[in-house]
Amino acid sequence: MKLLLADDNEAIRDILDNFARAAGYETVMAADGEQAWQLFCTEDIDLILLDVMMPKLDGFAVCRKIRECSDVPIIMITARGEDYDRIMGLEIGADDYVVKPFSAPEVMARVKAILRRLSRSGDAGQGRQYGNLVFQEESGRVLVAGKTVRLTHKEADLLLLFTANPGQLFSRDKLLDKIWGMDYTGDTRTVDTHIRRLRAKLEQAGLSGCAIGTVWGRGYRWEVMS
């Protein structure tokens, strides 16, 4: 398990780093919001400890950017303990909130609790299986050849729709209605972009025995090979 520790206070980073490594975690550290975002994009991160008051990008902004593409657990750490800030952090997607000054062992206990809970939910139930892909609907976890594939919310919604309706043809307009909502007014090519990225992630993970097929001029469907 790898943790991203993002805080502009070097002493706090070092304390969290020492406790995290003692608990058996790998760590990468960021001193500002931009660096935190860059590390998230380039490293395989399992959980983020994210300070709110950081230069360049604050923690709320980083959390919003991450939630556009990932459900990785985020614990916000800040000196701002007002109810408004706590509620805001949770509403934009944080999983937990710790106020400075904090106890490092308590923070590590929260980290372990979140990762343990995710591990249990990920192991529960077989889910839908096609070829070497397993989609665990309850937890939203996607496995290819036994390895987790991280998807954005829209990618996961698309995959859930396709696997729930194998062989059914969906036009771009139908996918926009079901996934983006009937009020969506953007370009229909966003469907093609999301499906292209979804395919790339599944293929890179080694998907076999199933695929998102294209029916030229008509749409897409989930195909299972015999």
Side-chain angles (χ1 to χ4, degrees):
M1 291 287 185
K2 184 181 291 187
L3 309 185
L4 169 56
L5 312 178
D7 197 300
D8 61 340
N9 186 314
E10 183 178 3
I12 290 177
R13 291 199 308 272
D14 288 343
I15 291 171
L16 291 173
D17 181 53
N18 288 335
F19 274 86
R21 289 184 178 277
Y25 299 113
E26 293 183 56
T27 62
V28 291
M29 294 189 285
D32 60 61
E34 285 187 1
Q35 188 180 16
W37 171 244
Q38 291 167 1
L39 284 170
F40 171 76
C41 292
T42 57
E43 299 279 346
D44 188 14
I45 303 298
D46 295 291
L47 184 142
I48 302 169
L49 292 166
L50 183 63
D51 185 34
V52 169
M53 301 300 290
M54 290 190 296
K56 298 186 179 179
L57 282 177
D58 66 26
F60 292 141
V62 176
C63 184
R64 288 191 186 95
K65 287 171 70 70
I66 290 172
R67 281 295 172 258
E68 290 176 359
C69 62
S70 174
D71 289 323
V72 64
I74 297 173
I75 299 177
M76 307 292 288
I77 299 180
T78 181
R80 297 167 58 172
E82 294 86 353
D83 285 344
Y84 171 81
D85 292 318
R86 294 176 190 240
I87 292 170
M88 180 177 179
L90 295 172
E91 285 187 343
I92 64 176
D95 296 89
D96 202 351
Y97 210 98
V98 177
V99 178
K100 300 175 184 177
F102 56 79
S103 160
E106 179 189 350
V107 174
M108 288 301 109
R110 295 191 185 206
V111 168
K112 290 179 182 178
I114 290 175
L115 294 176
R116 185 168 57 246
R117 185 168 64 247
L118 288 177
S119 177
R120 284 201 303 265
S121 67
D123 292 338
Q126 294 299 311
R128 294 196 187 105
Q129 181 164 0
Y130 299 97
N132 64 350
L133 178 142
V134 176
F135 194 121
Q136 297 174 339
E137 293 179 64
E138 188 171 331
S139 65
R141 193 180 185 199
V142 177
L143 301 163
V144 172
K147 296 181 180 179
T148 299
V149 181
R150 287 182 173 168
L151 304 177
T152 67
H153 292 299
K154 288 290 188 290
E155 290 164 353
D157 288 345
L158 282 166
L159 186 59
L160 177 59
L161 178 64
F162 283 129
T163 56
N165 301 277
Q168 182 174 338
L169 182 65
F170 292 95
S171 67
R172 290 180 182 83
D173 288 340
K174 180 64 72 174
L175 290 172
L176 284 173
D177 287 347
K178 288 185 171 292
I179 305 299
W180 280 264
M182 298 185 67
D183 294 334
Y184 178 79
T185 58
D187 195 328
T188 59
R189 286 177 296 182
T190 192
V191 172
D192 302 328
T193 299
H194 279 77
I195 288 180
R196 183 168 61 250
R197 291 174 180 169
L198 175 57
R199 278 175 171 160
K201 289 182 179 181
L202 296 176
E203 290 169 2
Q204 185 176 11
L207 180 69
S208 63
C210 48
I212 301 172
T214 300
V215 180
W216 296 108
R218 298 182 61 192
Y220 302 93
R221 65 187 174 198
W222 185 247
E223 298 177 346
V224 181
M225 295 72 156
S226 58

